[in-house]
Amino acid sequence: MSTLLKVDNVDSGYGDIQILWDVSISVDRGEVVAVLGPNGAGKTTLLKTIAGLIKPKKGRITMNGNRIDGLPPEKVVGEGVALALAEKELFPSMTVKENLQLGAFNKGARKKLDENLELVYSIFPKLRERESQRAGTMSGGEQQMLAIGRALMTDARLLLLDEPSTGLAPLMVKNIFTGLRRLMETKTELSILLVEQRIGQAAELSDRGYILSNGHVVYEGDIRQGIATQAFVKKYLGV
Ligand SMILES: Nc1ncnc2c1ncn2[C@@H]1O[C@H](COP(=O)(O)OP(=O)(O)O)[C@@H](O)[C@H]1O
Ligand SMILES: [Mg+2]
């Protein structure tokens, strides 16, 4: 497999407050990579730094060999990176379909709008059923599907997902993960960097993962095996 995203020795944070310390991670083409870690570890900060919402203080980030750190967020989208945040940024008074269409704002994505809309509807059939409904009236889980769908509409090669299952009822969590699994089966060259609190589900979907603690990468490798042992979970995830 070849490397798609590479984060090398990145320091990042907010103003004078440093959150990430010398963080290095990579994602190959077609891979699902989990990022786990306790609350406040810096997981969201990492995703925001990759997406160009925060400029790293040190290190480099490349997509497909092209440097993306320091680029404004919309240019990072143009390099194939799309972020779906836990706190969704949907347009509540617009319909589901309009929200999805708005995801395809960059040039490359506009050309593939129909194809990507079909992809989104095929992984989350609920969105097709509800395409004329206003986004603000959708349930939490449906809005999460919409946020992921909108990220896909940018014609992303790398999806950054920030806790897609947080706050959702078990059935909805299942629907989200089923959709993601279907997505990876349909679009095999896509990659996902998945931040999750639900370590079991994240481990099942991902090929491998990293654990962040206090802004440091403290573990890198197989997650499925690791979380099967209590000592591992206690040591790295503090639960
Ligand atoms: N806008 C901000 N300004 C200052 N500090 C922040 C900001 N956002 C997050 N932080 C701090 O950064 C640390 C890591 O937060 P975050 O990346 O959200 O962690 P996680 O997603 O792993 O829970 C926390 O201590 C948090 O308080
Ligand atoms: Mg977070």
Side-chain angles (χ1 to χ4, degrees), residues 14 17 19 37-46 48 162-163 195 197 212:
Y14 306 91
I17 310 166
I19 305 293
N39 256 333
K43 304 180 296 296
T44 299
T45 304
L46 174 60
K48 285 183 171 169
D162 195 7
E163 304 196 6
V195 167
Q197 295 282 347
L212 266 186

Side-chain angles (χ1 to χ4, degrees), residues 37-38 211-213 218-219 231-238:
I211 298 178
L212 266 186
S213 177
V218 293
Y219 175 86
F232 179 97
V233 174
K234 196 160 189 278
K235 177 173 177 195
Y236 291 114
L237 300 162

Side-chain angles (χ1 to χ4, degrees), residues 193-225:
L193 190 60
L194 173 69
V195 167
E196 256 303 333
Q197 295 282 347
R198 296 188 203 253
I199 54 179
Q201 259 117 342
E204 232 175 82
L205 185 70
S206 44
D207 299 296
R208 59 189 180 87
Y210 297 87
I211 298 178
L212 266 186
S213 177
N214 285 321
H216 298 266
V217 174
V218 293
Y219 175 86
E220 169 181 358
D222 189 288
I223 295 281
R224 229 163 297 167
Q225 255 177 352

